[in-house]
Amino acid sequence: MKATATAPANIAFIKYWGKTDSELRLPANSSFSMNLSEARTTTTVEFSSNYTKDVVQFIGEKSTPAEHDRIIAHIDRLRSIAGNREQARIVTQNSFPKGTGIASSASGFAALTLAAALALDAPLTQNDLTMLARIGSGSACRSIPDGFVVWEKGTSSATSTARSVGSAEYWDLRDILAVVDPTMKKVPTTEGHETVATSPHWNDRLASVEGRLRAILSAFKDKNFDLFGRILEEDCLDMHKVMQSQVPPLVYWTEETRALMRSIIGWRASGLPVYFTIDAGPNVHVICEGKNEKTVVNRLDGLACVQFVLVNRPSQGAHGIDTHLF
Ligand code: DP6
């Protein structure tokens, strides 16, 4: 009754922002992402009649009571599917350095879902696992399948699932995470999703985002990097336009974020194919092809606003491993 799984974080090129059902985490739009090679969570789950209560332990990090409760609520979902009432011990570890602003909820809930399903020997398909991971944290469903992943918004819990549209080897892209501010974000995304409709730009986003998804998937199929980059940057700016005009406003960018965005636009104007995307934090994900990795890293290293970089390649999704954390 013990199993371990590891799962990557992911970066969305078409973002998930806003829900139609908060409890089931049904998204307002479909989204598209790449799994990240250097940002993983590994989790061991054991169910045993010897345990008298559920225990959650983060290696090298502190957890809050709210995080603990969210994890146990997820374990309860899996226990009820498997018809198991034993208490669990859960030990989890993130590979990525603190302060990258990479949300551990995607990799965390993907690894937790798979580890618990394996420990319970629950007969779940990959599609089922994406559905369950989604209820833990929306973006977690995109960390289950391999490589490049589409999460279809669907019309119900059973149809809001994620699937791979390209293996990690399909396209040699890089997400070079440029850290400009290693302090943690202050507003959790779960709260931000709730107030999207207060933005005057929200309906425009809803009207355009599915079209952008179709366009970027076509650029992805053709490996047309310039078109691909243009669309992913457009979607990032569109999401932040909504965030910044929500009530209360969510302004994640700092002066350093803006300076870096301007540098990237300038590098592009001078012929270097490079684009940016930004999640709910100030750090910038710099997207380029593998052949330009060194040039981009050198340029980022030369900027005063960048504190350090983390170079990610596309990666496989969640999978079980034999080495347990306890
Ligand atoms: C800005 O998946 O963290 O990173 O479903 O409430 O857990 P919950 O939200 P979460 O939202 C991620 C938002 C985003 C965009 C994205 O990854 O698509």
Side-chain angles (χ1 to χ4, degrees):
M1 297 304 270
K2 182 181 193 174
T4 301
T6 182
N10 65 73
I11 183 67
F13 299 133
I14 299 294
K15 307 289 189 187
Y16 150 53
W17 193 243
K19 302 174 195 173
T20 56
D21 184 317
S22 306
E23 251 163 59
L24 289 172
R25 291 188 153 82
L26 298 179
N29 63 273
S30 305
S31 55
F32 171 47
S33 62
M34 177 181 108
N35 286 327
L36 304 181
S37 61
E38 303 310 311
R40 314 189 64 80
T41 301
T42 300
T43 300
T44 299
V45 179
E46 182 174 44
F47 295 92
S48 166
S49 52
N50 295 331
Y51 294 144
T52 51
K53 62 179 176 106
D54 292 320
V55 174
V56 181
Q57 184 195 346
F58 282 68
I59 296 177
E61 278 173 68
K62 287 202 175 78
S63 66
T64 64
E67 280 169 334
H68 175 274
D69 293 351
R70 195 168 159 186
I71 289 168
I72 297 306
H74 200 60
I75 288 291
D76 282 340
R77 272 174 215 123
L78 280 129
R79 266 194 289 241
S80 80
I81 288 171
N84 183 301
R85 287 161 165 241
E86 287 170 350
Q87 305 293 293
R89 179 170 177 209
I90 300 137
V91 177
T92 188
Q93 184 168 36
N94 291 327
S95 76
F96 35 102
K98 270 191 187 159
T100 55
I102 293 178
S104 55
S105 66
S107 52
F109 278 95
L112 181 69
T113 304
L114 181 58
L118 291 171
L120 290 164
D121 205 14
L124 297 168
T125 63
Q126 185 178 80
N127 207 48
D128 297 335
L129 292 169
T130 72
M131 183 193 75
L132 282 163
R134 187 205 75 231
I135 301 173
S137 174
S139 52
C141 69
R142 298 188 310 235
S143 290
I144 300 273
D146 285 337
F148 298 86
V149 177
V150 168
W151 168 17
E152 296 287 354
K153 69 174 175 171
T155 51
S156 61
S157 193
T159 54
S160 187
T161 56
R163 68 189 150 85
S164 177
V165 292
S167 71
E169 291 73 37
Y170 176 72
W171 200 1
D172 188 31
L173 292 185
R174 295 289 179 279
D175 168 12
I176 304 173
L177 175 60
V179 175
V180 298
D181 180 353
T183 60
M184 287 305 283
K185 66 184 180 207
K186 293 195 179 57
V187 180
T189 43
T190 301
E191 285 170 36
H193 282 286
E194 298 307 313
T195 51
V196 281
T198 59
S199 163
H201 302 297
W202 172 236
N203 285 330
D204 289 346
R205 174 162 175 77
L206 280 182
S208 59
V209 66
E210 300 288 340
R212 264 198 305 282
L213 176 62
R214 282 193 296 277
I216 204 170
L217 288 175
S218 157
F220 176 72
K221 191 165 155 271
D222 299 342
K223 298 187 187 166
N224 179 340
F225 185 70
D226 283 321
L227 183 58
F228 185 82
R230 270 210 311 274
I231 302 168
L232 74 87
E233 211 173 85
E234 194 179 301
D235 194 69
C236 159
L237 292 171
D238 191 62
M239 177 184 74
H240 281 273
K241 188 168 158 184
V242 170
M243 288 170 153
Q244 290 171 12
S245 55
Q246 286 178 214
V247 184
L250 296 172
V251 181
Y252 291 110
W253 303 346
T254 62
E255 281 316 304
E256 288 74 21
T257 311
R258 289 174 196 278
L260 182 48
M261 288 157 78
R262 278 195 296 272
S263 294
I264 292 166
I265 293 167
W267 296 340
R268 200 158 66 224
S270 65
L272 183 64
V274 60
Y275 294 84
F276 61 79
T277 186
I278 303 165
D279 277 343
N283 301 324
V284 179
H285 294 257
V286 186
I287 311 297
C288 65
E289 289 180 282
K291 63 183 178 195
N292 291 317
E293 174 191 323
K294 283 202 171 60
T295 311
V296 174
V297 168
N298 283 340
R299 296 223 184 159
L300 290 168
D301 282 344
L303 294 179
C305 61
V306 175
Q307 303 208 2
F308 64 93
V309 300
L310 185 69
V311 179
N312 288 286
R313 293 161 177 262
S315 140
Q316 72 178 127
H319 56 278
I321 57 174
D322 293 334
T323 317
H324 301 307
L325 294 177
F326 65 91

